[in-house]
Amino acid sequence: MTKSSADKKTPGLQTRAIHGRQHPDPLTGAVNPPIYASSTFVQSSPGVHSGWEYSRSGNPTRAAFEAALAELEGGAAGFAFASGLAAQAAVLDLLDQGAHVIASNDLYGGSWRLLHRVRERTAGLKITHVDASDAAAVEAAITPETRLIWIETPGNPLLSIADLPGIAEIGKRRGLITVADNTFASPVVQRPLEHGFDIVVHSVTKYVSGHSDIIGGAAIVRDAPDLIDRLKFLQNATGGVLDPFSSFLALRGLKTLPLRIARHAANARAVAEFLESHDKVAQVRYPGLRSHPQHNLAARQMSSGGGMVSFFVKGSPEQTIRVLESLRYFALAESLGGVESLVGHPWSMSHGSIPEPLRRAAGITPQLIRLSVGIEDVEDLIGDLEQALEALGQERARVVVA
């Protein structure tokens, strides 16, 4: 291969994670961007500066992370925020008072809370939830006031899959902003912008950072100058930006994202297959399994099933709690996407803010368990789940004897 042909070759994902849109520090040559812990920057004359003036408006450490994440998602610009919900709030600020939003029905509880318990009241937004795996259902929900389609894929907590190309085509044809929450997948597993979406949002806290040590969020925009300018204005105007220290840690985590996701996905598939074969499990939801309702759709737009697995226990709500309490390597905690395995109870944790009738209507019951499968030795993780489910069986036997 000649040098000229090698130069034209698109670098691989891991290469882009380490080198994409990243440069040594121009002042010192440092390989990693320094933490610029400065709130303000000197100007040579009023309004004349080096490109940096105030760290809410822009900070070199944050900018380095924003550029790197935009590179992985295939976006033109990235904007980092203090949390995933802060990123979502800024994106919703693109809308005018009274706009109509179509949202997927398998949605993180915090997103539901922001839409219904905040923006319905403060901005008069009107929200319609649909099955986003069915592009026709999405289009049927459009009204003259519709301005934005918001989907999460895989969905939280049931891991439903939205039809990315179908919805993107509808948004483009009908002149609507399309937004995809890519937190559960990460840009390693899928890149919604490549399917035609306008904006991707992340809870950077999760897979992007990957070590459960920061809170952060991001929005990445396709090559659309108007949307980029508006979101840049909103990031500065509303001020919920990611701090330099967290930006540094997020950028460090991003460099190993492809490696980590490969292990997460391999472990998750093995865990899902084990659970599907267990007689005390009623149903497993994992996009990589053929039993998943949208498996074929997932196979077309995802490179793997990802690292999240949800399943329903055969038993009572109390017995489900006993399983959660019996796990050793799966830590019972909020969040996901870290190197360590976590287990959550959507009914009482991540989706507890949604009214009970709506939780049940969405398929969220007290018997649902959500796993964030880490990068530990998979035999240990399967052994942990096996002993917890066996404890459930022993409890049921004691109930029968009694």
Side-chain angles (χ1 to χ4, degrees), residues 7-72:
D7 289 343
K8 294 178 182 178
K9 182 179 181 294
T10 301
L13 196 68
Q14 182 63 70
T15 301
R16 298 205 305 275
I18 295 173
H19 297 286
R21 303 188 200 178
Q22 299 174 58
H23 309 282
D25 178 55
L27 183 62
T28 65
V31 172
N32 292 312
I35 300 173
Y36 284 91
S38 181
S39 61
T40 191
F41 302 85
V42 169
Q43 302 186 19
S44 59
S45 185
V48 180
H49 51 77
S50 61
W52 312 104
E53 50 184 324
Y54 188 63
S55 270
R56 171 171 42 77
S57 305
N59 176 279
T61 313
R62 188 175 84 229
F65 168 63
E66 290 171 332
L69 183 56
E71 169 70 19
L72 277 195

Side-chain angles (χ1 to χ4, degrees), residues 2-219:
T2 65
K3 186 177 188 298
S4 60
S5 63
D7 289 343
K8 294 178 182 178
K9 182 179 181 294
T10 301
L13 196 68
Q14 182 63 70
T15 301
R16 298 205 305 275
I18 295 173
H19 297 286
R21 303 188 200 178
Q22 299 174 58
H23 309 282
D25 178 55
L27 183 62
T28 65
V31 172
N32 292 312
I35 300 173
Y36 284 91
S38 181
S39 61
T40 191
F41 302 85
V42 169
Q43 302 186 19
S44 59
S45 185
V48 180
H49 51 77
S50 61
W52 312 104
E53 50 184 324
Y54 188 63
S55 270
R56 171 171 42 77
S57 305
N59 176 279
T61 313
R62 188 175 84 229
F65 168 63
E66 290 171 332
L69 183 56
E71 169 70 19
L72 277 195
E73 280 287 6
F79 303 93
F81 294 86
S83 69
L85 282 170
Q88 293 187 18
V91 170
L92 291 175
D93 279 336
L94 292 167
L95 302 176
D96 292 331
Q97 179 85 15
H100 176 241
V101 175
I102 297 171
S104 51
N105 53 15
D106 191 9
L107 200 65
Y108 167 50
S111 302
W112 188 95
R113 180 176 56 218
L114 175 62
L115 288 168
H116 290 280
R117 299 183 65 181
V118 180
R119 293 307 175 85
E120 279 187 340
R121 175 178 58 83
T122 63
L125 296 187
K126 302 174 183 66
I127 318 297
T128 299
H129 291 279
V130 298
D131 175 3
S133 68
D134 182 357
V138 173
E139 184 153 28
I142 295 174
T143 74
E145 290 75 37
T146 305
R147 298 293 179 268
L148 185 146
I149 301 172
W150 186 290
I151 64 98
E152 184 176 323
T153 184
N156 184 359
L158 294 173
L159 303 178
S160 59
I161 306 300
D163 182 353
L164 290 173
I167 293 170
E169 189 278 328
I170 291 168
K172 190 172 299 183
R173 177 163 42 84
R174 303 294 291 266
L176 306 176
I177 299 172
T178 47
V179 182
D181 186 335
N182 203 26
T183 297
F184 266 31
S186 90
V188 175
V189 174
Q190 67 186 11
R191 290 173 291 282
L193 299 181
E194 293 181 358
H195 292 283
F197 267 68
D198 296 312
I199 300 173
V200 165
V201 295
H202 280 279
S203 173
V204 171
T205 311
K206 313 303 194 294
Y207 285 111
V208 170
S209 176
H211 292 78
S212 302
D213 53 7
I214 70 161
I215 300 291

